[in-house]
Amino acid sequence: GSPRRLLLVSNSTLHGGGYLGHCQEHIKSFLGEKVKRVLFVPYALHDRDAYARTARAKFESLGYGLDSIHESCDPVEAVRKSEAIFIGGGNTFRLLKALYDNSLIQEIRKRVLEDGIPYMGSSAGTNVATISINTTNDMPIVYPPSLQALGLVPFNINPHYLDPDVKSSHMGETREERIHQYHEEPNTPPVLGLREGAMLLVEGDKATLQGVTGARLFLRGKKPTEHEPGTDFSFLLIDSNLQN
């Protein structure tokens, strides 16, 4: 079995609450008491200093120190020394490009999949934890060398998943239609649509849906299915090539 431990959160802020407020109890139980400091990756936003201040204030309020990777003169070394990694939200393309530019893809994979340090992502940070960023909602404002991401799990996630509004007169494509278009391409992995307020906890070969909202699962060639918090999604951790 894999030693990986992941907390993949759909969104950083839930309506009516502050930054990471809706998942702070999950964060505390996930990081536990062994972790003292968290390495924060603010690459998804342009103003990295301001982003680091926001994240630092939150994590310090939970009892954890926070180091932002953009303040390190050697990002690779910062990953090698880290006790836990948190990648925040913003633009997924900007984030992935910076991970490639700083040679961090393989380093983060090794720390998480081989060394077993906890990895937490929210929004864009959840997107890059998966096979690829093909199912992000973001605009391609920059051009990463590849859409392949960290591959900490063998499927894709669509954070901030939105259901079609039956009362809306908007005639554009729904999120469900866009994911269906993705699955029209050959050999595309499952996509888990995480609604705001939902998160996926991965511990080794076990994956569990947590949070206050459900998720919608899209498997290529099958009808989407609805899932409540508490759902066991461990079957998604089996390589999707075997599922097709």
Side-chain angles (χ1 to χ4, degrees), residues 20-46:
L20 298 178
H22 69 101
C23 58
Q24 65 181 30
E25 294 308 316
H26 294 88
I27 295 171
K28 285 200 290 197
S29 73
F30 175 67
L31 293 177
E33 293 178 4
K34 278 190 187 168
V35 171
K36 301 296 182 219
R37 300 194 73 79
V38 173
L39 181 66
F40 177 54
V41 180
Y43 293 156
L45 290 188
H46 179 68

Side-chain angles (χ1 to χ4, degrees), residues 13-206:
T13 311
L14 196 60
H15 181 74
Y19 181 70
L20 298 178
H22 69 101
C23 58
Q24 65 181 30
E25 294 308 316
H26 294 88
I27 295 171
K28 285 200 290 197
S29 73
F30 175 67
L31 293 177
E33 293 178 4
K34 278 190 187 168
V35 171
K36 301 296 182 219
R37 300 194 73 79
V38 173
L39 181 66
F40 177 54
V41 180
Y43 293 156
L45 290 188
H46 179 68
D47 190 341
R48 296 170 176 180
D49 290 339
Y51 201 7
R53 280 195 297 274
T54 300
R56 184 171 283 124
K58 184 68 202 181
F59 277 82
E60 285 180 352
S61 78
L62 300 178
Y64 301 99
L66 182 136
D67 302 299
S68 186
I69 197 167
H70 83 288
E71 295 164 349
S72 169
C73 55
D74 187 345
V76 169
E77 189 61 21
V79 168
R80 285 178 181 161
K81 288 180 172 168
S82 60
E83 298 174 53
I85 295 171
F86 168 43
I87 302 189
N91 184 282
T92 310
F93 291 90
R94 174 186 274 155
L95 168 59
L96 187 60
K97 182 177 187 300
L99 291 177
Y100 275 107
D101 289 349
N102 289 287
S103 306
L104 293 174
I105 299 286
Q106 291 308 322
E107 291 297 335
I108 293 174
R109 273 182 62 83
K110 179 182 181 302
R111 293 293 282 136
V112 176
L113 296 181
E114 294 176 28
D115 302 342
I117 70 162
Y119 175 101
M120 182 184 153
S122 72
S123 193
T126 287
N127 263 322
V128 296
T130 68
I131 286 190
S132 73
I133 65 166
N134 289 75
T135 56
T136 178
N137 309 313
D138 296 334
M139 293 185 181
I141 59 173
V142 294
Y143 195 60
S146 166
L147 297 180
Q148 295 294 307
L150 292 168
L152 306 179
V153 291
F155 56 92
N156 277 349
I157 288 178
N158 176 249
H160 309 279
Y161 179 76
L162 278 175
D163 297 287
D165 180 359
V166 289
K167 297 189 189 123
S168 172
S169 58
H170 175 69
M171 296 302 288
E173 293 158 326
T174 63
R175 195 66 60 78
E176 186 161 315
E177 284 168 334
R178 288 179 175 177
I179 295 171
H180 176 66
Q181 289 166 356
Y182 173 63
H183 277 153
E184 287 170 343
E185 296 299 318
N187 304 316
T188 39
V191 179
L192 185 62
L194 279 184
R195 292 191 181 87
E196 302 222 329
M199 62 202 84
L200 189 71
L201 175 68
V202 178
E203 297 180 297
D205 297 321
K206 185 167 170 54

